[in-house]
Amino acid sequence: MKCPKCSNEIKDGYLYCDKCGEEIRIVPDFEATFDDKINISFTDDIDSDVVLEELSKVETKEIDAEINKEATREIDIKSSGLGANVTNKTSDDRIIIKALVFAGAICVVLVIMGILVNGRLNMYYSVDSQYEKAFEQYESGRYDESIKTLKHALSIDPSDLRLRSLLADNYYNLKKYDESNALLYEMLELYPDDPAILEKIIRNNEEKGDYQAISILLENEKDSSLGDEYSKYISENVEFSVPAGDYYEAINLELYAGENAVIYYTLDGSDPNDKSMMYNEPLILEDGEYTIKAIAINGFGIKSDVSEATYYIDFDVPEKPIVLTKAGTYNVPVLVEVKISDYDLCYYTIDGEDPTSDDMLYQGPFAMYIDKHTYKFATISSKGTSSEVVEIELNAELITLIDMDMAKTNIINYKTATGTISPDYTYKCEQAYEYNNSTYYIVNEYTKSGEDEVQTGNHYAVDVLTGLTFRAILNKSTGAYSLEALL
């Protein structure tokens, strides 16, 4: 080894040049890549440069302190007059101390960094820590970051439902409703009665406008309280007013569903849809076989299940009646006469409505009703089967001097005078009849029967020109009246 100042060869063990007295500094050989090896890559939470800088400050202070200490010792030795051997020994000790201090500093750096890295790794692989981090990201609206954190946490523990629930909420806020539902439906398989999971699925489908999916979900839901809360999404099945089966008379079939629901039906056995016949009024089922299928669609467009019923009705439709009186206007009234079969009953109306068995029964010819009316007739069998309806217009346009109100008043005055009036009786001037070449109003007497008014069987006749009043005796089989003077 040569002196860096005078190039004199230095003897082994000497720390000073014996020619010029220059101090010889021995620098230990360290591996060139050592600093690279300790330059560990850290995550965002650990700033490695700051750590190394702080540790370097500590190392430098310790080394400088040792150097100062050794320098003081060296001066003391020189001043005491000890030889070069003592100086050499002191220099060797100083080199060893420097190396030890430096090595110790490196160890401290490695230990501290190991602790930091280990702590960060523990946090990285801790589900609880990752959940807290993801929740903080979710709360601050950083949904994409929260999703990334949760996916990492799920790779550690796929069974943690907290992570799945929070992940579903992130997707919801990003309007990724299908992705959110995919997670929630998996959770629902494990916890089918959890209302929180159900409500989140409903929330997603509300945003999507997929009300049919909500309806299916609620139909399978056992929690009745939840079903009540979201009942608006359930479309009730159609119900039939008459049970399916065999019948021997016509059926007036009504269909029912939930409020505001629209009912569609078919009669040929095919499944109905919103293009099928819309139900507006009762279905009249007569002779034959009917397979009726119906669905209800509520205000959210949710379809019910298909309701089905089959009816077999076996009976003969009766013959329609034949009206013998000709249509037209009459100044002189005539009897209204209809021909019917012997085994059927004929019913009629004068208000234009189709007759039923609750209307007036035709028992023979009857006096024409005053003014213009549309008469309808139908024969109805004992099984309730109605024939084709026959209608005719008749107008009794009478030539009179006495009006209808005066005719009615005449009868009331007579009943009052004779003490036969009753508060339960009412009188209606309704029909006209021709008798012995004179025209009469027919005034009928009614009484209450429950909520209905029925004729008592008392009839009166008032001459339309003179106002003369008579008791009218009706022959029901012929429809003719005979008149008796009132006493």
Side-chain angles (χ1 to χ4, degrees), residues 357-418:
S357 56
D358 294 327
D359 292 312
M360 294 180 284
L361 175 65
Y362 178 82
Q363 296 175 305
F366 57 89
M368 184 178 292
Y369 284 81
I370 300 169
D371 293 331
K372 186 177 181 179
H373 295 280
T374 297
Y375 296 72
K376 285 190 175 184
F377 301 88
T379 52
I380 300 177
S381 71
S382 59
K383 296 178 180 179
T385 310
S386 176
S387 70
E388 180 184 343
V389 176
V390 178
E391 68 177 72
I392 184 175
E393 283 194 358
L394 297 172
N395 182 17
E397 194 173 274
L398 307 179
I399 299 172
T400 67
L401 294 177
I402 306 296
D403 63 25
M404 296 170 64
D405 286 337
M406 186 176 294
K408 186 171 66 173
T409 300
N410 285 353
I411 301 304
I412 293 174
N413 290 339
Y414 164 75
K415 297 289 286 186
T416 302
T418 58

Side-chain angles (χ1 to χ4, degrees), residues 236-240 242 244 253-257 262-280 283 285 289-297 304-311:
E236 297 180 16
N237 292 338
V238 178
E239 295 183 0
F240 301 97
V242 179
L253 182 64
E254 296 183 24
L255 309 182
Y256 304 99
V262 180
I263 298 175
Y264 297 91
Y265 69 95
T266 61
L267 299 174
D268 58 3
S270 62
D271 287 341
N273 54 41
D274 56 2
K275 300 296 188 296
S276 302
M277 292 180 288
M278 183 186 297
Y279 175 79
N280 293 312
L283 308 178
L285 307 183
E289 183 176 358
Y290 303 86
T291 297
I292 300 176
K293 290 186 175 183
I295 60 169
I297 302 179
S304 69
D305 294 333
V306 176
S307 298
E308 179 178 349
T310 299
Y311 302 88

